[in-house]
């Protein structure tokens, strides 16, 4: 299970790319899984067709893609990223890296813990190999390391590192730099150093000259394969470093306050802002009248890139014929040979879209409102909840007559004129799910509609969920809080669902103070951490 996240200001992360696609893929997988509160900028330095096509199809998350028609070099690409970035902290990340849990949150602490924010200009993590204090000797001595590298291996190293902050030089594989530094000394000197090497050391010398310090954050670990793009380009990294070293030494000897600043004169060229696609799961078994209304509402009211993945559990009421007539490029339908209920479709769906930052789920009895997905995403982008659920008539095990009687017992946050209420789970419909939190299959468990609510509750101590009053969803089978339609529109369906639900979870059960005290303790601590 993922570790408790560390809050930090939003960071612009810039990844220059020149092929080495296998390594880029690993980098983006780990970035998506272990990074919160950031904007991503990828700069493609005229990669080959395979890498270009991958970037064209990349829709796991939101990012900005800058494309160069020629390979302008690493420093030029970094400067383009700076020009496109909107945050006060800017991270440069090599594309042949694997990140670890909380790497970014730990790094950001480095700006505060030594001498104060005004002194630290750059922070950097522990690396697996370098000639500096950033690589502990125990890591440098590992033999044939790349053969055993996977995400678990990287996380295990991160867990072994102590929390320590040292005023030391840091390696340009991963740097976070305050925006004010660029305002004082400018950007990387791409004209002097060409394709790559020594531009980072040059930049660090200028930082020192301007009075800033650099901090190595020992507990943050990033695995670096090293020189994968350079080698794939057919270049000799050792030869490039040897060629650029005397250029750097002359530059260092001449450095003074009058030649410190390097203007950011790069051109951005082709820039595309990508909105990450959000897959939506809907499981159908009969209830054709409801299904038609729900699909229509999703198509009409979803103002965000999406794919509606419908899993039909061998309906017998004409639903299958209706679905076969649905023609929409955003809809994908799976027809099950048997009614496998809820757990298998969810696990297939989560595996099918395992790389995506967010997924969603809408039952075929839930009418979503205009811009519902965008609204839920805004909340999830604001704080890393596991599940964010639209406000709707709740069906809880308490004798409540309206949602506020439940919500008032929860920790709340004001957001865009509405309320976000923190809980240990967020239900099963009209929800946005942080897919990257899911680290195992949803279990079969009677009493929580196949184990999904139970799964959320087990995750809740680390990744709470939330209800958001800024988005409303109508439940077609409910008329008010804790009240189903009587008589039911679909009694056969309700009878089947009742077998998956523990009756003790529904009904006139009193609200226990101790229960809410526990929720408030967990979610309140999580909020202020």
């Amino acid at each position: 299970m993922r570790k408790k996240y560390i809050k930090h200001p939003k960071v612009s992360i810039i990844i220059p790319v020149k092929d080495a696609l296998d390594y880029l893929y690993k980098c983006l997988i780990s970035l998506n899984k272990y990074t919160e509160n950031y904007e991503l900028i990828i700069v493609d330095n005229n990669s080959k067709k395979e890498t270009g096509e991958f970037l064209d199809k990349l829709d796991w998350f939101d990012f900005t893609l800058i494309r160069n028609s020629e390979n302008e070099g690493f420093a030029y690409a970094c400067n383009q990223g700076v020009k496109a970035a909107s945050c006060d902290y800017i991270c440069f990340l090599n594309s042949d890296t694997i990140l670890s849990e909380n790497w970014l949150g730990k790094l950001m602490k480095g700006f505060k813990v030594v001498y104060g924010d005004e002194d630290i200009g750059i922070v950097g993590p522990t690396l697996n190999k370098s000639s500096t204090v950033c690589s502990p000797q125990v890591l440098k001595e590992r033999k044939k390391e790349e053969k055993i590298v996977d995400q678990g291996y990287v996380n295990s190293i991160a867990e072994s590192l102590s929390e320590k902050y040292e005023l030391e030089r840091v390696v340009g594989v991963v740097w976070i730099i305050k925006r004010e530094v660029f305002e004082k000394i400018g950007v990387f000197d791409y004209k002097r150093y060409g394709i790559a090497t020594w531009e980072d050391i040059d930049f660090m010398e200028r930082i020192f000259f301007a009075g800033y310090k650099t901090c190595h954050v020992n507990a943050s670990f990033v695995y670096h394969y090293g020189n994968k793009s350079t080698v794939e380009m057919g270049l000799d990294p050792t030869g490039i470093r040897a060629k650029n070293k005397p250029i750097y030494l002359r530059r260092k000897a001449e450095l003074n306050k009058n030649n410190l600043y390097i203007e950011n004169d790069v051109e951005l060229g082709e820039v595309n802002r990508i909105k990450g696609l959000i897959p939506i799961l809907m499981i159908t078994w009969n209830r054709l009248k409801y299904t038609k209304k729900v699909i229509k509402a999703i198509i009409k009211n979803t103002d965000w890139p999406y794919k509606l993945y419908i899993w039909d559990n061998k309906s017998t009421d004409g639903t299958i014929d209706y679905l076969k007539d649905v023609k929409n490029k955003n809809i994908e339908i799976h027809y099950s040979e048997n009614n496998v209920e809820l757990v298998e479709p969810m696990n297939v769906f989560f595996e099918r879209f395992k790389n995506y930052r967010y997924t969603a789920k809408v039952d075929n009895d839930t009418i979503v409102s205009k811009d519902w997905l965008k609204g839920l995403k805004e909340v999830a982008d604001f704080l890393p909840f596991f599940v964010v659920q639209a406000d709707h008539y709740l069906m809880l095990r308490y004798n409540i007559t309206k949602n506020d009687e439940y919500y008032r017992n929860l920790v709340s946050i004001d957001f865009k004129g509405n309320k976000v209420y923190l809980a240990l789970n967020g239900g099963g419909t009209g929800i946005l799910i942080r897919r990257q939190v899911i680290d195992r299959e949803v279990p079969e468990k009677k009493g929580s509609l196949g184990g999904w609510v139970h799964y959320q509750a087990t995750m809740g101590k680390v990744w709470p969920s939330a209800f958001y009053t800024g988005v409303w969803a109508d439940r077609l089978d409910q008329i008010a809080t804790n009240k189903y339609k009587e008589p039911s529109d679909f009694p056969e369906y309700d009878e089947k669902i009742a077998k998956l639900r523990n009756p003790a979870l529904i009904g006139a059960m009193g609200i226990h103070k101790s229960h809410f005290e526990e929720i408030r303790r967990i979610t309140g601590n999580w909020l202020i951490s």
Side-chain angles (χ1 to χ4, degrees):
M1 184 182 294
R2 295 175 67 190
K3 308 301 181 188
K4 194 169 184 178
Y5 91 106
I6 299 171
K7 288 184 183 177
H8 57 80
K10 191 171 184 179
V11 178
S12 298
I13 299 176
I14 300 165
I15 304 180
V17 172
K18 177 57 178 167
D19 296 311
L21 179 55
D22 289 346
Y23 298 94
L24 172 63
Y25 181 84
K26 294 176 183 179
C27 177
L28 294 179
I29 289 288
S30 65
L31 177 80
N32 199 17
K33 188 173 183 63
Y34 294 123
T35 315
E36 306 294 343
N37 201 24
Y38 69 99
E39 68 170 2
L40 175 61
I41 302 167
I42 296 176
V43 185
D44 180 26
N45 256 331
N46 192 33
S47 292
K48 297 175 185 175
K49 181 179 179 181
E50 184 182 14
T51 303
E53 289 178 347
F54 170 79
L55 292 173
D56 285 339
K57 296 176 181 178
L58 183 61
D59 61 358
W60 306 341
F61 40 54
D62 305 344
F63 71 102
T64 296
L65 177 60
I66 300 174
R67 278 230 153 93
N68 293 323
S69 58
E70 301 290 339
N71 181 7
E72 302 290 355
F74 183 83
Y76 192 97
C78 287
N79 292 352
Q80 288 176 300
V82 172
K83 186 165 278 193
S86 65
C87 300
D88 291 331
Y89 294 86
I90 297 175
C91 174
F92 300 99
L93 177 65
N94 279 25
S95 64
D96 58 346
T97 54
I98 298 180
L99 308 169
S100 61
E101 293 179 312
N102 274 327
W103 71 281
L104 185 58
K106 292 174 182 177
L107 274 180
M108 290 298 289
K109 290 176 69 173
F111 284 109
K112 296 289 186 181
V113 298
V114 186
Y115 288 117
D117 183 63
E118 71 280 2
D119 296 307
I120 305 300
I122 303 178
V123 297
T126 294
L127 300 167
N128 54 303
K129 51 186 175 184
S130 75
S131 59
T132 71
V133 71
C134 295
S135 296
Q137 192 65 32
V138 66
L139 299 179
K140 289 191 288 183
E141 291 177 351
R142 292 182 185 271
K143 303 298 184 182
K144 299 180 180 178
E145 192 176 67
E146 287 191 18
K147 293 185 178 180
I148 61 172
V149 170
D150 60 16
Q151 190 64 67
Y153 172 76
V154 173
N155 287 344
S156 69
I157 294 177
E159 290 171 1
S160 72
L161 300 175
S162 62
E163 185 171 358
K164 183 171 58 175
Y165 306 88
E166 305 161 294
L167 293 179
E168 298 282 355
R169 288 176 173 267
V170 288
V171 182
V173 173
V174 185
W175 274 359
I176 302 180
I177 305 174
K178 291 187 297 187
R179 179 174 289 276
E180 69 174 62
V181 171
F182 297 106
E183 294 170 354
K184 289 188 177 181
I185 70 168
V187 290
F188 295 103
D189 194 343
Y190 72 91
K191 295 176 182 177
R192 197 179 302 264
Y193 298 103
I195 290 292
T197 75
W198 290 98
E199 72 283 326
D200 54 341
I201 308 301
D202 178 302
F203 189 89
M204 195 182 309
E205 289 297 336
R206 287 154 53 211
I207 271 203
F208 294 148
F209 200 97
Y212 289 101
K213 299 178 177 67
T214 60
C215 178
H216 166 230
V217 180
N218 188 68
S220 177
F221 178 66
V222 174
Y223 185 89
H224 182 218
Y225 287 98
N227 298 314
K228 295 306 179 183
S229 291
T230 307
V231 171
E232 189 165 322
M233 290 162 60
L235 301 176
D236 173 20
T238 302
I240 296 175
R241 280 192 287 269
K243 176 185 176 183
N244 279 350
K245 183 175 181 179
I247 298 175
Y248 160 72
L249 292 175
R250 288 194 298 272
R251 164 67 165 158
K252 182 179 178 181
E254 298 167 353
L255 196 62
N256 60 65
K257 65 179 180 179
N258 295 319
N259 63 13
L260 195 65
Y261 190 87
I262 301 295
E263 183 181 356
N264 195 356
D265 60 358
V266 301
E267 299 291 334
L268 283 183
E270 180 186 344
V271 180
N272 294 303
R273 312 286 181 180
I274 312 299
K275 291 183 176 180
L277 181 140
I278 300 179
I280 305 166
L281 172 65
M282 185 170 74
I283 303 170
T284 57
W285 181 70
N286 296 338
R287 300 200 295 181
L288 175 58
K289 180 174 68 173
Y290 284 2
T291 298
K292 289 180 178 180
K293 292 180 179 180
V294 172
I295 292 176
K296 182 178 179 181
I298 290 174
I299 294 172
K300 179 181 178 182
N301 294 329
T302 307
D303 186 20
W304 194 266
Y306 74 94
K307 177 178 286 294
L308 176 58
Y309 182 85
I310 300 174
W311 178 293
D312 185 79
N313 265 327
K314 202 173 184 180
S315 295
T316 58
D317 67 343
T319 295
I320 292 177
D321 290 336
Y322 165 74
L323 292 176
K324 288 182 176 179
D325 287 335
V326 172
K327 308 298 181 186
N328 188 296
K329 65 179 181 179
N330 295 323
I331 297 179
E332 178 181 338
I333 304 172
H334 173 84
Y335 299 99
S336 178
E337 294 181 359
N338 301 290
N339 186 348
V340 294
E341 298 178 347
L342 303 176
V343 172
E344 181 177 335
M346 293 192 73
N347 286 327
V348 170
F349 172 75
F350 288 139
E351 177 63 23
R352 166 80 168 75
F353 298 102
K354 63 183 178 181
N355 290 340
Y356 286 78
R357 185 163 188 79
Y358 297 121
T359 56
K361 182 172 178 287
V362 176
D363 290 346
N364 70 328
D365 60 7
T366 304
I367 303 297
V368 295
S369 57
K370 185 173 177 56
D371 294 343
W372 68 286
L373 199 55
K374 179 181 178 182
L376 297 180
K377 181 180 181 297
E378 287 176 344
V379 175
D381 287 343
F382 174 65
L383 279 175
F385 297 110
F386 178 22
V387 170
V388 181
Q389 182 167 25
D391 196 13
H392 65 269
Y393 289 136
L394 299 180
M395 181 58 65
L396 299 168
R397 56 175 173 166
Y398 309 117
N399 56 345
I400 59 177
T401 59
K402 57 183 180 180
N403 291 356
D404 286 350
E405 293 180 29
Y406 178 76
Y407 290 156
R408 70 187 179 193
N409 293 281
L410 304 176
V411 173
S412 66
I413 307 166
D414 293 325
F415 184 76
K416 293 196 170 184
N418 298 291
K419 287 284 188 180
V420 176
Y421 293 96
L422 279 66
L424 298 187
N425 61 69
T429 185
I431 59 176
L432 181 71
I433 305 161
R434 185 172 246 93
R435 170 61 185 88
Q436 296 303 311
V437 172
I438 297 173
D439 57 4
R440 60 190 183 279
E441 289 190 341
V442 177
E444 290 279 4
K445 187 176 182 64
K446 183 179 178 181
S448 57
L449 291 183
W452 173 238
V453 175
H454 175 78
Y455 187 97
Q456 291 181 59
T458 61
M459 303 292 284
K461 294 183 180 180
V462 179
W463 300 97
S465 296
F467 298 93
Y468 179 46
T469 63
V471 174
W472 176 260
D474 280 319
R475 295 291 299 274
L476 296 174
D477 60 352
Q478 285 182 241
I479 57 174
T481 301
N482 270 353
K483 292 187 180 294
Y484 287 114
K485 284 185 177 180
E486 295 180 4
S488 168
D489 291 335
F490 299 99
E492 180 185 6
Y493 177 90
D494 293 340
E495 180 181 349
K496 191 169 188 67
I497 287 295
K499 295 178 181 178
L500 302 176
R501 182 188 290 122
N502 186 338
L505 295 178
I506 304 296
M509 188 174 178
I511 297 179
H512 298 290
K513 182 179 179 181
S514 61
H515 171 75
F516 285 109
E517 286 176 347
E518 177 70 0
I519 294 177
R520 290 181 66 86
R521 181 185 67 79
I522 293 171
T523 58
N525 289 342
W526 179 84
L527 190 63
I528 63 175
S529 64

